[in-house]
Amino acid sequence: MEKYAIAAIPGDGIGNEVVPAAMRILDVVAEIHGGIQWEWTSFPWSCQYYLQHDMMMPSEGIDILRSFDQIFLGAVGMPNLVPDHISLWGLLIRIRRELEQSINLRPARLLKGLRSPLLHPADFDLVVIRENSEGEYTEIGGRMKKGEDEIVVQNAVFTRKATERAMRYAFEQAKKRRNQVTSATKSNGISHSMPFWDEVFREVSTDYPQVTTSSQHIDALTAFLITRPHDLDVIVASNLFGDILTDVGAAIMGSIGIAPAANLNVDRKYPSMFEPVHGSAPDIAGQGIANPLGQIWTGKLMLDFLGYEEMGTLLLEAIEFTLQSGIKTPDLHGKATTEEVTTAIIEYLQKTR
């Protein structure tokens, strides 16, 4: 029996509804497998925690998380209570940086039973590999002067080590898929970081002669993601570009509420963190209608990362069967509750025993 200590952080808003739902489903998956056991420990770190303690997580929070095998996160942010730059940098981004979760992996595919808003979506199945530790998301910069003379400087930082690491991970993923990698760039407008990005991409690609490559400017690539997503396989992008592309990927699937993400410590020195792309959705929190599929699909990514790809595939089959059965939450134009979707997936999984 392989036992995994998982730190569950439901966070804010609907995270407190979808995380427990996904935990129940993952427990069923473990029972079916017969050789996995999850040992869950939940932490209340959130905006409510911040209001009580003036911090999003305790000062020793990172040390606490280091003792776990993986982290299962719900949603972070309640801007009506805590400014986003405080909540995100105090919890989500702090975990990503201090636990060296340098790769962000986000798939997008046309799920069976789900209608894409695209008129002709074809059968797209792609994954974005996002550099997760630096790039445009740094704290380097500042503000000077006041009034009409105010100056704001925000620096983007790209290192060869992190850039090459993300690109090699993308190429390795492509070898398992359709042997195609597309690089997101903007070297015609950003004169230092993006030409550097292009150079590293060309250098890395020489080690993967079997993989077809292309380099696309981010504005054109965003359009391609809408007009012909079925032509894309693996996309590698910087922190900001990857963030934008994956929200578009979620939208063309049918709802940001179903998109999963994995923040990976590829060396497995520290735990990785698995979270849905969606936010805390305070407008529907507590109503029992939150879509749990993003959190559940995130569980599939955790299974895959731990080497249980067959169980991950089974979980995705259960998601698609539920969608095909018409059991959908309101964001997918259905009438089902969070509980009804969760129950339907559990029932499908139990029938496979």
Side-chain angles (χ1 to χ4, degrees), residues 52-233:
Q52 297 173 14
H53 303 278
D54 200 32
M55 58 181 68
M56 290 295 295
M57 64 192 304
S59 56
E60 70 276 15
I62 295 297
D63 289 333
I64 292 171
L65 292 176
R66 284 195 181 100
S67 66
F68 286 85
D69 294 308
Q70 308 298 336
I71 304 165
F72 202 53
L73 177 69
V76 179
M78 292 290 279
N80 61 320
L81 299 177
V82 180
D84 279 341
H85 69 279
I86 292 177
S87 61
L88 291 175
W89 282 90
L91 184 62
L92 174 64
I93 297 179
R94 183 183 171 195
I95 293 171
R96 287 176 177 174
R97 298 292 170 87
E98 296 191 37
L99 295 183
E100 299 177 13
Q101 296 168 351
S102 59
I103 300 295
N104 185 274
L105 181 151
R106 295 184 178 182
R109 59 183 290 176
L110 185 63
L111 294 176
K112 296 175 183 177
L114 194 60
R115 182 178 179 180
S116 168
L118 299 179
L119 185 60
H120 301 293
D123 192 16
F124 66 86
D125 181 357
L126 59 94
V127 62
V128 177
I129 305 302
R130 168 189 172 193
E131 199 293 310
N132 206 37
S133 63
E134 52 180 38
E136 304 86 355
Y137 290 2
T138 71
E139 296 178 275
I140 301 174
R143 300 173 67 164
M144 298 177 288
K145 301 184 179 181
K146 299 286 185 179
E148 65 179 13
D149 293 323
E150 186 171 13
I151 301 171
V152 180
V153 176
Q154 179 76 50
N155 291 334
V157 176
F158 289 76
T159 64
R160 178 170 291 272
K161 178 180 179 180
T163 301
E164 183 172 333
R165 179 171 51 204
M167 291 176 177
R168 289 196 179 279
Y169 194 87
F171 276 94
E172 291 297 328
Q173 289 296 304
K175 287 167 57 179
K176 303 173 186 177
R177 293 170 53 89
R178 303 195 305 276
N179 282 310
Q180 178 186 329
V181 177
T182 301
S183 169
T185 184
K186 191 57 181 171
S187 51
N188 63 345
I190 303 176
S191 60
H192 296 298
S193 61
M194 286 294 103
F196 166 78
W197 177 276
D198 294 346
E199 291 168 13
V200 177
F201 183 70
R202 286 193 295 269
E203 292 172 11
V204 171
S205 67
T206 61
D207 291 335
Y208 299 88
Q210 74 276 36
V211 178
T212 302
T213 63
S214 67
S215 185
Q216 300 290 342
H217 293 304
I218 183 63
D219 42 355
L221 183 55
T222 304
F224 294 160
L225 200 57
I226 295 171
T227 58
R228 46 188 179 93
H230 52 280
D231 289 338
L232 299 167
D233 181 20

Side-chain angles (χ1 to χ4, degrees), residues 313-338:
T313 298
L314 175 63
L315 184 50
L316 192 59
E317 288 175 1
I319 290 173
E320 291 189 311
F321 178 83
T322 300
L323 290 169
Q324 288 177 297
S325 301
I327 304 172
K328 305 174 184 178
T329 46
D331 63 304
L332 299 179
H333 309 290
K335 297 181 179 179
T337 64
T338 308

